[in-house]
Amino acid sequence: MSAHGTDHLYRMAERYYAHGRVDAAIDALLRLLGEDAEQADAHAFLALCLVKRKRLHAANLEAQRALELAPESGFAHLAAAIVAIARREFESAQSHLLTARESDPDSAAIADAFARLYLAWGRDAQALEHARRACELDPDDPDYPALLASLELRRGDRARAEALARDVLRAHPEHLEALCVLGHCELAAGRTDSARDHAAWALQIDPTDGDALTLMAAVKARRSWLLGLWWRLQSFVSAGSRTRAVTLLLGIFLLYRVALIALPQNGLSQWTGPLSYAWLAFCAYTWIAPGLFWRSLKKELDQVKLRPGF
């Protein structure tokens, strides 16, 4: 195949990817690489597509091949960083992004990748800074304000998050991240039916999307008081860094142990038994509730149907 033919396949893959047709983009890139296996950008692009499909081992192989073919390529380092973020190899991702930024310091895509890295790493302030930078560098790309909306919601500025998400959806009504952010804003405002509609719409676009599933789970938690307790507890515990989560869990256990020691010393021995039973009940609930919750959620998802014209 001529260089013109491989260029056509690459542009075709870009169009497919831009419209969310990731599998079609993968097919086009595989055809391209079948004709010319030495195209570093094609390997890097394929790595990004494979991350979307959560095929992380294959994505890592493609990113490494891109780096072997073009060790100075900023795009290859960007792809390697995104793969590393998905694999939760944060220091490696940061190293690749720093190298990529040296070749293109004004790249909105690299600023966005930095924001997503620091978000996954639990460094929200740095994530917010880079998300704003990405929006400044390329205000026309909907992915950047959608991520900024998510970060604004995470830090508690719901009004700003909602405004950003609605701006994105006016021009791109099927943008997954913006749909989920707006759904969470609706849920926080008590508009449960609207939040469920946004979750259903997002799941109709991509049934495997983690953010959409999380939103639907949050809607289910709001509607089911008993099973929702587990969702609210795990959402509270997991918010923020891993260190915070571990500290909270250890703190709960230490409070329980301190109470067991303090009650007899204060003439309240009769409460040690009920406290122990309550602790066992809490442990049993946190063990059993996830399975019941996700089974209930699956039933909810099986009923998801969009209203005509939604």
Side-chain angles (χ1 to χ4, degrees), residues 186-238:
E186 295 286 84
L187 188 61
R191 296 186 285 271
T192 309
D193 289 341
S194 177
R196 185 185 183 279
D197 285 343
H198 282 84
W201 190 352
L203 288 168
Q204 196 83 352
I205 297 167
D206 184 356
T208 67
D209 184 72
D211 289 341
L213 288 168
T214 298
L215 174 58
M216 185 62 85
V219 171
K220 185 67 178 176
R222 179 65 64 89
R223 289 177 166 178
S224 172
W225 183 84
L226 181 60
L227 292 178
L229 282 176
W230 169 78
W231 176 259
R232 293 182 184 93
L233 175 64
Q234 72 88 26
S235 297
F236 175 73
V237 170
S238 61

Side-chain angles (χ1 to χ4, degrees), residues 40-62:
D41 282 358
H43 283 286
F45 193 4
L46 182 55
L48 298 180
C49 294
L50 291 169
V51 168
K52 288 282 189 182
R53 285 292 170 257
K54 298 180 174 59
R55 296 168 57 186
L56 301 186
H57 178 70
N60 189 51
L61 292 176
E62 292 297 330

Side-chain angles (χ1 to χ4, degrees), residues 6-308:
T6 56
D7 287 347
H8 173 71
L9 285 172
Y10 192 90
R11 290 194 298 272
M12 184 187 300
E14 287 182 318
R15 288 195 297 272
Y16 284 141
Y17 188 85
H19 288 88
R21 299 178 60 188
V22 178
D23 292 332
I26 291 173
D27 288 341
L29 290 168
L30 289 175
R31 286 169 56 196
L32 187 162
L33 290 169
E35 297 295 332
D36 182 0
E38 304 299 304
Q39 279 208 28
D41 282 358
H43 283 286
F45 193 4
L46 182 55
L48 298 180
C49 294
L50 291 169
V51 168
K52 288 282 189 182
R53 285 292 170 257
K54 298 180 174 59
R55 296 168 57 186
L56 301 186
H57 178 70
N60 189 51
L61 292 176
E62 292 297 330
Q64 294 307 312
R65 181 58 179 152
L67 288 171
E68 290 171 5
L69 291 169
E72 303 301 320
S73 166
F75 184 45
H77 279 283
L78 174 61
I82 291 172
V83 172
I85 294 169
R87 289 160 59 96
R88 302 193 68 81
E89 297 168 354
F90 299 140
E91 291 184 359
S92 174
Q94 182 175 247
S95 176
H96 282 299
L97 287 176
L98 289 171
T99 301
R101 191 167 62 183
E102 288 176 3
S103 64
D104 190 356
D106 293 324
S107 167
I110 293 171
D112 177 73
F114 266 115
R116 295 180 189 277
L117 164 62
Y118 291 130
L119 174 60
W121 209 341
R123 301 181 178 183
D124 289 5
Q126 289 171 282
L128 192 63
E129 174 188 346
H130 284 89
R132 288 171 175 164
R133 173 70 173 154
C135 289
E136 291 171 1
L137 290 169
D138 187 357
D140 297 325
D141 191 312
D143 288 350
Y144 306 150
L147 175 59
L148 182 57
S150 180
L151 288 165
E152 294 287 7
L153 181 62
R154 185 178 173 91
R155 77 185 187 102
D157 192 343
R158 196 177 77 208
R160 175 65 175 154
E162 183 173 344
L164 285 165
R166 289 190 185 280
D167 283 345
V168 171
L169 291 171
R170 284 190 191 97
H172 305 274
E174 294 192 347
H175 195 283
L176 271 173
E177 191 166 14
L179 277 170
C180 292
V181 170
L182 187 54
H184 280 292
C185 290
E186 295 286 84
L187 188 61
R191 296 186 285 271
T192 309
D193 289 341
S194 177
R196 185 185 183 279
D197 285 343
H198 282 84
W201 190 352
L203 288 168
Q204 196 83 352
I205 297 167
D206 184 356
T208 67
D209 184 72
D211 289 341
L213 288 168
T214 298
L215 174 58
M216 185 62 85
V219 171
K220 185 67 178 176
R222 179 65 64 89
R223 289 177 166 178
S224 172
W225 183 84
L226 181 60
L227 292 178
L229 282 176
W230 169 78
W231 176 259
R232 293 182 184 93
L233 175 64
Q234 72 88 26
S235 297
F236 175 73
V237 170
S238 61
S241 67
R242 288 185 179 181
T243 303
R244 176 185 178 276
V246 172
T247 302
L248 280 172
L249 292 173
L250 283 175
I252 293 170
F253 178 72
L254 288 174
L255 283 173
Y256 161 68
R257 296 300 300 172
V258 167
L260 281 183
I261 295 169
L263 286 172
Q265 292 177 350
N266 289 275
L268 298 170
S269 299
Q270 70 273 22
W271 289 101
T272 58
L275 179 62
S276 296
Y277 286 123
W279 176 257
L280 287 173
F282 171 76
C283 292
Y285 176 76
T286 56
W287 178 263
I288 296 169
L292 295 175
F293 183 89
W294 291 110
R295 190 181 307 164
S296 175
L297 177 62
K298 184 179 183 301
K299 290 181 181 178
E300 181 90 6
L301 293 178
D302 289 341
Q303 299 170 7
V304 165
K305 296 194 187 309
L306 294 184
R307 299 191 304 269

